[in-house]
Every structure is written in C-alpha cells, then in structure tokens.
Amino acid sequence: MENKLSLNTNLKAIRKSEKRKGYKIPWTLHLMVLPAVLFVFVFSYLPMSGIIMAFQDYKANLGITGSPWVGLKHFRYMFENDYFVKIIWNTVLFACSKVVLNLIIPFTFALLLNEVRNMGFKRSIQTLVYLPHFLSWVILSGILIDLLSQTGIVNQFLMSVFGLDKPIFFLGDGTWFRLTIIFSDVWKEFGFNTIIFLAALAGINPALYEAAEVDGAGRFKQTLHITIPSLVPMLIVVATLALGNVLNANFDQVFNLYSPMIYQQGDIIDTFVYREGLLSGQFSFATAVSLFKSVISLTLIVISYRLAFKVAGYRIF
C-alpha cells in the first residue's frame, strides 16, 4: 500500500514538472504562433465592438458613440417578423441536410474505396472526387448556372432521354432550388470529407483482418464486424462537431446561385443579413440578426465539443 502511494506521488510530481517545463521551454513555438494570434485578434476580436449597433438605432453620420440606444427593439422586431422564421427554417433545412449527407456519403464511399485493390486506380478516383473541394463557389456557380439553365445540357439530356415536355427550372423553382443547393454542396465536399474516414481506416490493426480471415470471414463479414465498428467512433466525432454548423448554410453557395424569385425558399440568415445590412442600410437590425446567429452557434459548438468528449473521448485542450 505504501509503495502504491509513493508511486502515485512520484507520478504526480513528474507530471507537474513536465507541465512546468512544457510552458517554459517551447517559447519559440509560442513566438511562431504570435502572428496568427495577432491576425485573429485584429480581424476577429476588435470588430466585435460593432455588436453595440444591435442595441442602437445606428446612424452613419452619428457613429457608434452618437447613435441613440433602443435596447432590444431590433430583437423584438426580429422575432415578430414572419419572414425571419422562414429564413431560419431555410437555414436549418440546408445545413442539416448537408451535415447528414456529408456524413453518410463520405462514410459509404470510404468503405467502397477501401475495397479497391489497385492502388493506382484507387488514388486516381480519390483525387478526382476531392478536386471540386478546391474550386470556389464563384467558379462552380457559373458552371452550374450554365449546366442547369433551361437550355443547358442537363435539361436537353432529360428532355431527349426521358421525354420531358418542358425543361426543369432548377434555379427558379423553390423545391428544385433547395435540392440543387443540397446536392451540389454534397458533390463538392464529399470527396474531401472522405479523407477523414480513409485516415481512420488506415489506423485499423491489420491483425484483426488476418484473424477474421483465418476464422473464415469473407470481405463482407470483415467490413461488417471490423471496419464499420472501427469507423463508428470517428463518425460520432465528426457528427457531434458538425452540430456547431447547424446555422451555417454556406453563404458563398447560396449567394451565387439564388435570385429574388426564390427568396422565400432559398434565403438564409447570412444572405438576409447581407441584403438588410449592406444593401438596405439597416445596420442595427442586420447586426441583431447576426448576433442572434452567433450566440446560437457558439452554444451549439460548446455542446458539440462536450458531446464529442463524453461519447468518443475527443478533445482539443
């Protein structure tokens, strides 16, 4: 008993000394991080002083210091506005659909790609599917507008092969626009998201497959009882961390594809803030909406990291 107590005491002393050394020795690493910290402080924290506008009736000629205070007026108007409920629904619909599909499809694709034995073919396929991730939505939106227009190649193909009477208005009809937004985002990102699961697959102990093969298990049984259970912890981590993006529906994508005729079905919080703030000059109201989104997103991020730690033992600090 005394030996165990002394051993525990020694271990605690060693850990404390390692922690002290860890904070004293790598000062060069902290110096390397300093430019990034300054960049974040200047461009992310200093602008937060503009949050004050959400509680003011901001006038550009008076500035923040001279504009009159109105308290929670803009927040009350926000929740009383029926259109705000619609953009909340659009945002959650887009974001949740993308999160779910960007989990299921990369997970399934990683399992299928893992079964390919020709390494050259496997790497070629992997490169092709994650290449769209590196293209901006400005470029992809132009391509999609040409492809999905009423005279585009997609409608010509559907009309010639399936005999449609008239072309589908992909970017002008609310229902088709929602489907286009969701599936074009999945097409762009699923290849890059697959890398996470391929990395997890590379960490599976090969001895498990060898033992299963000796026991007579085929590839399907090995996938079912070894590969999938080994990927589930990573799937849980990715899913829980994705909770923080429930109110992020990708401004770049929606802004470059939508039009006034489908505002009711395609408008999201970020595009609404852009129009109200920069185009209409309603700076205080736009700031209130953006602050509401930021508070909800921060809450969801904290919850998701706590869930990731409790369920899968994932933590950053």
Side-chain angles (χ1 to χ4, degrees):
M1 189 68 178
E2 291 179 358
N3 291 334
K4 289 183 179 180
L5 289 173
S6 61
L7 181 60
N8 290 333
T9 305
N10 292 334
L11 286 174
K12 288 180 181 178
I14 291 170
R15 287 170 184 164
K16 285 182 180 178
S17 64
E18 286 179 350
K19 286 182 179 179
R20 293 194 191 109
K21 288 179 181 177
Y23 283 104
K24 289 181 179 178
I25 293 176
W27 63 270
T28 52
L29 299 179
H30 292 273
L31 190 62
M32 290 174 62
V33 174
L34 184 60
V37 172
L38 290 175
F39 183 86
V40 171
F41 177 75
V42 171
F43 291 99
S44 297
Y45 283 90
L46 286 182
M48 288 177 68
S49 59
I51 291 174
I52 298 173
M53 287 192 295
F55 307 96
Q56 294 179 323
D57 189 8
Y58 178 78
K59 305 294 182 184
N61 59 333
L62 298 176
I64 292 179
T65 56
S67 298
W69 289 86
V70 293
L72 300 177
K73 170 187 171 182
H74 300 295
F75 292 95
R76 284 194 297 269
Y77 175 71
M78 178 174 64
F79 290 111
E80 292 170 358
N81 191 338
D82 293 334
Y83 186 72
F84 182 72
V85 177
K86 292 181 180 179
I87 66 171
I88 289 289
W89 165 245
N90 291 338
T91 304
V92 173
L93 175 65
F94 287 151
C96 289
S97 301
K98 291 176 183 179
V99 167
V100 172
L101 291 176
N102 275 320
L103 286 174
I104 296 173
I105 294 178
F107 183 83
T108 306
F109 185 74
L111 292 176
L112 296 174
L113 198 62
N114 187 54
E115 298 303 316
V116 177
R117 292 290 170 257
N118 189 322
M119 294 305 295
F121 179 72
K122 180 178 180 179
R123 289 171 181 170
S124 300
I125 293 296
Q126 186 178 347
T127 302
L128 287 174
V129 297
Y130 77 64
L131 186 61
H133 170 80
F134 299 100
L135 298 177
S136 71
W137 272 112
V138 176
I139 297 172
L140 286 179
S141 296
I143 295 173
L144 287 174
I145 289 170
D146 288 337
L147 290 176
L148 301 176
S149 65
Q150 291 184 297
T151 57
I153 189 171
V154 174
N155 271 312
Q156 290 181 9
F157 173 79
L158 293 175
M159 293 174 70
S160 61
V161 175
F162 296 99
L164 296 182
D165 296 332
K166 58 181 180 179
I168 298 173
F169 204 0
F170 286 101
L171 301 178
D173 179 84
T175 302
W176 282 108
F177 178 79
R178 285 176 171 174
L179 293 174
T180 302
I181 288 292
I182 293 168
F183 286 102
S184 62
D185 182 86
V186 173
W187 166 76
K188 182 178 184 293
E189 300 296 340
F190 89 92
F192 190 79
N193 294 336
T194 304
I195 296 174
I196 299 172
F197 298 108
L198 289 176
L201 283 169
I204 299 175
N205 189 350
L208 296 174
Y209 293 106
E210 294 173 3
E213 193 172 353
V214 170
D215 291 338
R219 294 301 304 174
F220 179 76
K221 288 287 185 68
Q222 292 176 25
T223 301
L224 192 63
H225 297 289
I226 297 175
T227 307
I228 293 179
S230 299
L231 289 180
V232 167
M234 180 56 67
L235 182 67
I236 293 172
V237 169
V238 175
T240 52
L241 295 181
L243 288 177
N245 291 319
V246 168
L247 292 184
N248 290 324
N250 197 338
F251 169 81
D252 293 341
Q253 180 194 19
V254 177
F255 179 75
N256 284 287
L257 287 174
Y258 83 151
S259 60
M261 68 178 65
I262 43 88
Y263 277 169
Q264 295 285 334
Q265 295 84 13
D267 209 7
I268 60 174
I269 294 176
D270 293 330
T271 54
F272 180 72
V273 168
Y274 168 78
R275 287 202 320 277
E276 290 294 316
L278 296 181
L279 300 185
S280 301
Q282 301 294 325
F283 298 108
S284 293
F285 178 63
T287 304
V289 175
S290 183
L291 179 59
F292 166 78
K293 177 198 168 186
S294 299
V295 171
I296 299 299
S297 298
L298 177 61
T299 305
L300 291 172
I301 288 171
V302 172
I303 293 172
S304 65
Y305 273 94
R306 293 298 300 171
L307 287 174
F309 174 68
K310 286 185 176 295
V311 175
Y314 174 86
R315 65 187 305 172
I316 296 178
F317 303 106

